[in-house]
Amino acid sequence: MEYTVEFLNAVKECYVFHNILEETEDLTNDNIEDLTEAFQEKENILVDGIIGPETLWQMQYAYVMAQPKKIWVNCDADEIQ
């Protein structure tokens, strides 16, 4: 399966966050399966080299939770006439 550049860049960002890949290294269609297996092994989930639902969840959850939280802004709602 050939992944798009956009997908590879998004996965690379997660793999850098999880210390599977260095920022200076490339994620390509040739090495994604091996790196995915390394990630799956690290996370103690099924090691099959496929980015399925469980792998995708594990990749994204910790990454998203580590991002800066949005500031809550309280504002008046529009008045309905």
Side-chain angles (χ1 to χ4, degrees), residues 46-57:
L46 175 66
V47 178
D48 61 3
I50 298 170
I51 301 177
E54 185 178 14
T55 301
L56 197 54
W57 174 262

Side-chain angles (χ1 to χ4, degrees), residues 1-3 7-8 11 15 20 27-42 44-56 59:
M1 172 178 225
E2 290 289 316
Y3 295 107
F7 181 81
L8 291 171
V11 171
Y15 283 175
I20 299 296
L27 181 65
T28 67
N29 282 297
D30 294 331
N31 67 1
I32 192 168
E33 187 174 338
D34 292 336
L35 292 168
T36 299
E37 288 174 355
F39 173 76
Q40 291 167 331
E41 188 172 311
K42 179 182 177 194
N44 200 28
I45 58 177
L46 175 66
V47 178
D48 61 3
I50 298 170
I51 301 177
E54 185 178 14
T55 301
L56 197 54
M59 282 173 39

Side-chain angles (χ1 to χ4, degrees), residues 71-77:
I71 298 172
W72 181 262
V73 177
N74 191 13
C75 60
D76 296 329

Side-chain angles (χ1 to χ4, degrees), residues 3-15:
Y3 295 107
T4 65
V5 172
E6 293 82 9
F7 181 81
L8 291 171
N9 288 337
V11 171
K12 177 182 176 177
E13 197 169 325
C14 289
Y15 283 175

